[in-house]
């Protein structure tokens, strides 16, 4: 049995020390093969307490808290360098654990490194602000770290999502306890090693894997945790939000989605069909921004669906490291079970399965958690399969008749993460984009991301923004100062002398 860190079971990181407590561990199963990947030590509540106290101590040290921006930027750039140097290792961690195809895993490392470089550049240029004077004083706004940030990440894209959180939180001068998902712990552990090697002081970034149900509450409710940054499902996000509300600390929540992908009859249909295929099937549908509800104007509905079926049929479902593989397995066997349950439920209610709706039959895929690209039709937007996030390669296709009907259906969901519009009419694109309740709108494109652009959801898809300059401010608190330029006290009522 090989281990990523070269040690068995794989240890985790607190205070710059590798903790190899064998009392509790995660046995990691490769979703592509069903075989055991390795065992990883899992943290307990006592480890969480130690990690938070360690982060608090390290983040309070002037060496970290008051580090000059160009020195902080140098460390962040060094992390980016080391990520690229170790890109095969990082990508392999993710590929073995969640089955995403090799190319996507490598791209996540490259983009993650770019996130560190963006934060490095931003922190050198983000300043304090002088606010307009309304008296004989200088008034200004300065930005300070929260202290200890709890960063909790899901299993679908651990490299990208961890980098979004830790690059910004380190740039802002915080200490961090990172809790990766049990299914995908090792890329976070390796990022912790890279941060140490790049010169982040020991204890500033701690990585403690473990089940959220066992150690999540201990982390979120720890008195020294002053902010929570969570990416995951809406139900867990709601619980974290309640706990943070009780403590009166901020929670940035990046949650689920069921994003509408809209195609009007006047669109470039070929490009729209390509995008609709990628929007749902890339990453085996395990993407929070997946275009999982496809709305097509009725007069081109049949033509569009035929084009998307043709593209879906040509997709290559294979082992994640097979050259040319486009879809790997679901990230776990329990996740595939859930997908199958949702599709069977729709079938029983009279849905038509236009393609897929089954496991692949190739023998070399039989032991993995594979599921074919699936298109479901003959449903309404009210059907459970169109309302619940499936997080698998399942597209719900529905026709619409006019713009008002479309907007009503597109917004009829608890989610509001992303959306896409295809039309040649720029005025309509603007109207529909403004009417959609979503944190992200793509017009004549889909799934374009930039580390410089803020990302987050409306409604129950989340709260707050990550990425971009706003994403760094998310990890800072605001302090306003009034500094008198007068020899007398000029405020309030006058004092009799
Ligand atoms: P999840 O909510 O089950 O778990 C996410 C993380 O929370 C894991 O680390 C888990 O261990 C932890 N956790 C679980 N219970 C906890 C608790 N009580 N307290 C604290 N932490 C706890 O999500 P998942 O199944 O790992 O990921 C899939 C979900 O993530 C999907 O809903 C997807 O849409 C969402 N997601 C959102 C975004 C976004 O940016 N909006 C990005 C990726 C994934």
């Amino acid at each position: 049995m090989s281990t990523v860190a070269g040690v068995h079971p794989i240890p985790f990181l607190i205070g710059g020390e590798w903790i190899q407590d064998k009392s509790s561990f995660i046995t990691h199963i490769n979703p592509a093969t069903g075989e055991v990947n390795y065992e990883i030590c899992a943290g307990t509540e006592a480890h969480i307490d130690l990690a938070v106290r360690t982060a608090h101590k390290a983040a309070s040290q002037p060496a970290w808290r008051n580090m000059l921006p160009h020195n902080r930027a140098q460390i962040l750039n060094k992390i980016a360098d080391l990520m690229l140097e170790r890109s095969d290792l990082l990508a392999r961690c993710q590929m073995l654990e969640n089955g995403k195809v090799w190319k996507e895993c490598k791209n996540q490392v490259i983009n993650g490194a770019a996130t560190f470089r963006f934060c490095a550049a931003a922190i050198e240029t983000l300043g304090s602000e002088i606010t307009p004077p309304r008296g004989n004083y200088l008034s200004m706004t300065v930005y300070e770290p929260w202290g200890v940030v709890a960063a909790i990440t899901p299993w679908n894209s651990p490299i990208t999502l961890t980098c979004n959180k830790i690059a910004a939180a380190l740039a802002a001068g915080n200490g961090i306890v990172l809790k990766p998902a049990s299914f995908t712990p090792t890329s976070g552990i390796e990022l912790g090693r890279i941060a140490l090697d790049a010169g982040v002081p020991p204890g500033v970034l701690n990585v403690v894997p473990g089940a959220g149900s066992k150690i999540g509450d201990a982390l979120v409710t720890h008195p020294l945790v002053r902010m929570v940054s969570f990416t995951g499902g809406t139900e867990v996000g709601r619980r974290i939000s309640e706990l943070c509300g009780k403590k009166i600390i901020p929670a940035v929540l990046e949650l689920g989605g069921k994003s509408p992908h809209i195609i009007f009859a006047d669109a470039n249909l070929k490009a729209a069909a390509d995008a609709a295929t990628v929007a749902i099937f890339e990453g085996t549908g395990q993407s929070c921004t997946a275009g999982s509800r496809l709305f097509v104007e009725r007069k081109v509905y049949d033509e569009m669906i035929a084009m998307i079926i043709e593209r879906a049929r040509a997709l290559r479902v294979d082992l994640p490291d097979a050259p040319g593989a486009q879809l790997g397995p679901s990230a776990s066997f329990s996740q595939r079970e859930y997908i199958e349950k949702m599709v069977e439920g729709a079938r029983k209610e009279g849905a038509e399965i236009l393609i897929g709706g089954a496991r692949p039959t190739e023998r070399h895929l039989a032991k993995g958690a594979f599921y074919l690209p699936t298109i479901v039709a003959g449903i309404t937007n009210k059907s459970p399969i169109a309302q619940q996030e499936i997080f698998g390669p399942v597209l719900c296709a529905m026709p619409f008749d006019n713009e008002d009907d479309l907007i009503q259906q597109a917004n009829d969901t608890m989610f509001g993460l992303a959306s896409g519009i295809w039309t040649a009419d720029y005025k309509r694109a603007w109207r529909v984009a403004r009417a959609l309740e979503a944190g992200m709108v793509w017009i004549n494109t889909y799934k374009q991301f930039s580390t410089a652009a803020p990302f987050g959801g409306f409604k129950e898809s989340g709260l707050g923004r990550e990425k971009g300059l706003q994403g760094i401010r998310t990890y800072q608190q605001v302090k306003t100062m009034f500094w008198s330029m007068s020899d007398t006290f000029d405020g309030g009522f006058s004092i009799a002398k």
Side-chain angles (χ1 to χ4, degrees), residues 318-392:
D318 211 333
L319 295 169
D321 55 355
Q326 291 168 300
L327 278 81
S330 293
S332 64
F333 290 86
S334 54
Q335 179 61 19
R336 180 177 64 178
E337 226 172 86
Y338 174 68
I339 297 167
E340 289 179 328
K341 199 178 92 197
M342 290 301 295
V343 173
E344 281 321 302
R347 209 192 299 258
K348 278 193 193 128
E349 285 182 11
E352 246 185 294
I353 311 300
L354 302 180
I355 184 172
R359 302 176 183 186
T361 48
E362 288 90 337
R363 283 186 62 190
H364 73 293
L365 303 182
K367 288 191 178 151
F370 291 89
Y371 196 74
L372 288 172
T374 299
I375 303 178
V376 180
I379 50 169
T380 73
N381 188 54
K382 299 269 184 224
S383 310
I385 198 158
Q387 286 289 321
Q388 288 171 34
E389 187 181 41
I390 299 174
F391 231 53

Side-chain angles (χ1 to χ4, degrees), residues 153-156 179 181 212 216 230-233 254-256 288 389 391 455:
T153 51
W155 46 258
N156 66 317
K179 196 212 79 61
F230 171 78
T231 300
E254 300 286 4
L255 309 177
C288 54
E389 187 181 41
F391 231 53
F455 177 84

